[in-house]
Amino acid sequence: MTSKTTVKTLLILGASGDLTGRLLLPGLAGLLAAGRAPGLRLVGAGSDPWSPDQWQERVKGAFEAASESADTAGRAALAAVAESTEYHQVDVTADGPLAELLAQLEGPVAVYFALPPHVSQKACEILRREQVPDGTRLVMEKPFGSGTESARELNKTLAALVPEDHIHRVDHFLGKATVLNILGLRFANRFLEPVWNREHVEKVEIVFDEDLALEERARYYDAAGALRDMIQSHLLHIMAFLAIDAPATIEERDLRDAVATVLRASSIKAPFEASTRRARYTAGTLGERTVPDYAAEQGVDPGRNTETLAEVQVDIDNWRWKGVPFILRSGKAMGERRKEAVITFRPVPQLPVGFTGVDSPNQLRIGFGPDTLELHVDVNGPGNIFTLDRATLMAELSAAGMLPYGEVLEGILTGDPLLSVRGDTAEDCWRIIEPVLQAWADGEVPLEEYDAGSTGPAAWPTAVED
């Protein structure tokens, strides 16, 4: 891994879109303010006929928060990029314009496809190897393809343009701090490894419940749903990091090999009515805000039956985890924001006679954003020493110090693919969930409902326990 910036120009395609304004530019601002992208030039391109002033206004607005908290050098770096940036109106699906723009830019160039997946794919299919300057990095947002076959075809297309280690398949949920916190916890503590297996772990639950509703993202989300949007990419990777055997190093090859090994052993087994659940929110209240039925949200096609809450049980059929259910769940418009992994250990085989109270299985909770650690244990309670009581040991884990997209962009600019998804892994993630998507499309699993602001359908074996 390197800390030296290799990319000279960051070209954002889809520069006038929501992703660029809401996430990419603020992430870049934090990187610039910290002095971690010296000499970088920013270029925006899109189909909208924006003037140079419109683009500069967007960039300066997105940089404002970082500038207020930056030191003198940081503010100067932000101002330099904002003043020198330029915008080009380009149809990336036409033969020629993108190649012409690439030829004008100082390399190496990182091309960030902040575009709908089908547009990104079309743009890459039109490009030819001789039109892509040496050192170019191609950055693809999720979802990577729409299934195993399309992911495979897209991999072939990209491999014909640049080497694999110059392809960054972005998973911003896998911030470097989050990944390293999991690895540090697992492999730097001798007492955990002997019990981190099927003999001692009863189940593992990974939950990403958002207290946000659709938030005007119907164009993307209604065609994706919770299973594609969160579980297919983000949560399967968190699962893999929790389940891997110890790699020799935490460099990208060893670590990504270990992740791929776990995912190859993973599947969701039929019957899918037993191993998966899906639901969609109805009208309700989030805080002080009234939320309409998902089906009534602007831009939603009710006939698609898009789920806003999904839960699946993944089985990892290897020596360490055979028989341990990994339950992955993600939902929108939930009453409580929960981002955590919960490892529940098996109960003790025999509690000595004489103890009273509740003997609960030990749980380890790893929180994501903020990154926290909680260990729930049984101890002798106050008052009656023979009565067991619950105690929680808590710790805060190290934070990243920058926004998730800042971490992602730093990996791209320095040529570190650690936080990027490898091509074979992207295909395997689709392989795992494709049978579920087909079963849901065929109506094998009912689409349930839950009120916005609730904790989901009451009958679900929820991953969140009090």
Side-chain angles (χ1 to χ4, degrees):
M1 291 182 286
T2 176
S3 59
K4 183 181 178 182
T5 301
T6 57
V7 169
K8 294 296 185 184
T9 304
L10 174 62
L11 170 61
I12 300 178
L13 306 180
S16 56
D18 174 69
L19 173 64
T20 299
R22 187 167 53 89
L23 296 172
L24 274 180
L25 291 178
L28 176 61
L31 202 58
L32 292 166
R36 288 154 79 167
L40 183 70
R41 185 154 181 263
L42 173 65
V43 176
S47 58
D48 293 320
W50 276 22
S51 67
D53 287 345
Q54 279 179 286
W55 171 240
Q56 282 203 337
E57 185 178 341
R58 161 166 268 211
V59 172
K60 289 177 180 177
F63 284 7
E64 192 172 331
S67 183
E68 289 175 358
S69 59
D71 59 18
T72 302
R75 285 194 295 273
L78 288 164
V81 171
E83 289 298 329
S84 65
T85 189
E86 58 186 55
Y87 178 88
H88 297 263
Q89 185 180 0
V90 174
D91 179 2
V92 298
T93 63
D95 189 3
L98 178 55
E100 291 171 9
L101 178 57
L102 281 173
Q104 298 171 23
L105 303 178
E106 181 185 4
V109 178
V111 185
Y112 202 114
F113 290 83
L115 297 165
H118 68 279
V119 179
S120 299
Q121 187 157 351
K122 179 86 177 290
C124 291
E125 288 170 352
I126 288 172
L127 278 175
R128 297 185 297 279
R129 177 66 189 90
E130 62 271 18
Q131 296 175 323
V132 180
D134 289 343
T136 298
R137 298 184 175 275
L138 303 179
V139 189
M140 313 299 292
E141 272 283 336
K142 73 169 182 69
F144 187 78
S146 56
T148 308
E149 189 56 38
S150 68
R152 187 175 295 121
E153 289 303 313
L154 183 51
N155 277 335
K156 290 179 182 177
T157 299
L158 295 174
L161 299 175
V162 299
E164 170 63 30
D165 63 358
H166 282 53
I167 302 168
H168 294 260
R169 301 169 187 84
V170 169
D171 188 346
H172 67 272
F173 194 69
L174 293 180
K176 187 171 290 187
T178 296
V179 170
L180 295 181
N181 279 334
I182 292 174
L183 299 179
L185 174 68
R186 284 209 47 204
F187 301 123
N189 294 289
R190 181 64 180 266
F191 75 94
L192 276 181
E193 179 58 24
V195 298
W196 207 263
N197 55 56
R198 63 188 301 274
E199 299 298 329
H200 299 280
V201 174
E202 183 176 278
K203 62 180 176 178
V204 178
E205 302 164 297
I206 303 170
V207 183
F208 193 98
D209 281 354
E210 297 182 273
D211 56 0
L212 298 173
L214 192 56
E215 313 302 331
E216 301 181 351
R217 293 181 67 222
R219 182 177 177 182
Y220 161 72
Y221 193 86
D222 197 46
L227 184 58
R228 287 185 180 91
D229 183 47
M230 286 300 304
I231 293 176
Q232 184 270 337
S233 53
H234 303 323
L235 300 195
L236 281 174
H237 273 84
I238 291 293
M239 180 198 79
F241 281 114
L242 288 168
I244 61 173
D245 288 331
T249 73
I250 54 171
E251 304 243 347
E252 60 88 13
R253 181 174 177 180
D254 286 338
L255 195 53
R256 297 205 293 179
D257 279 350
V259 166
T261 299
V262 167
L263 291 174
R264 282 197 300 271
S266 301
S267 64
I268 302 170
K269 292 183 170 57
F272 297 114
E273 191 169 359
S275 60
T276 74
R277 284 157 290 281
R278 59 176 179 151
R280 183 167 71 182
Y281 70 77
T282 56
T285 303
L286 286 173
E288 299 181 355
R289 184 162 58 101
T290 300
V291 177
D293 279 0
Y294 175 82
E297 293 265 27
Q298 185 175 359
V300 167
D301 177 3
R304 279 182 169 151
N305 287 331
T306 300
E307 80 287 349
T308 58
L309 175 63
E311 184 173 286
V312 301
Q313 177 180 315
V314 181
D315 293 308
I316 303 175
D317 293 329
N318 63 14
W319 189 281
R320 183 186 289 264
W321 295 114
K322 179 70 174 179
V324 177
F326 283 74
I327 300 170
L328 280 51
R329 159 182 165 144
S330 180
K332 283 192 174 293
M334 310 304 293
E336 187 177 356
R337 181 176 177 268
R338 303 293 295 268
K339 301 179 183 180
E340 65 175 356
V342 184
I343 295 89
T344 301
F345 294 91
R346 297 188 185 280
V348 295
Q350 169 63 30
L351 186 69
V353 175
F355 280 113
T356 59
V358 178
D359 173 33
S360 303
N362 301 127
Q363 283 189 330
L364 181 66
R365 291 177 180 261
I366 306 170
F368 307 121
D371 287 3
T372 57
L373 186 66
E374 294 182 11
L375 178 61
H376 299 278
V377 297
D378 287 338
V379 296
N380 300 72
N384 185 348
I385 199 68
F386 295 100
T387 301
L388 295 175
D389 200 3
R390 199 68 160 167
T392 301
L393 311 178
M394 301 181 64
E396 290 187 7
L397 303 178
S398 297
M402 69 170 66
L403 296 171
Y405 269 88
E407 291 187 295
V408 166
L409 286 169
E410 184 172 38
I412 294 162
L413 299 181
T414 60
D416 177 10
L418 180 65
L419 300 182
S420 297
V421 177
R422 204 167 65 186
D424 58 334
T425 301
E427 294 174 26
D428 251 331
C429 287
W430 280 115
R431 174 194 58 77
I432 292 166
I433 72 154
E434 263 189 327
V436 180
L437 291 170
Q438 188 59 55
W440 288 6
D442 293 343
E444 293 179 23
V445 179
L447 179 65
E448 301 178 56
E449 294 183 337
Y450 63 99
D451 294 339
S454 72
T455 59
W460 281 27
T462 178
V464 180
E465 299 178 358
D466 295 327

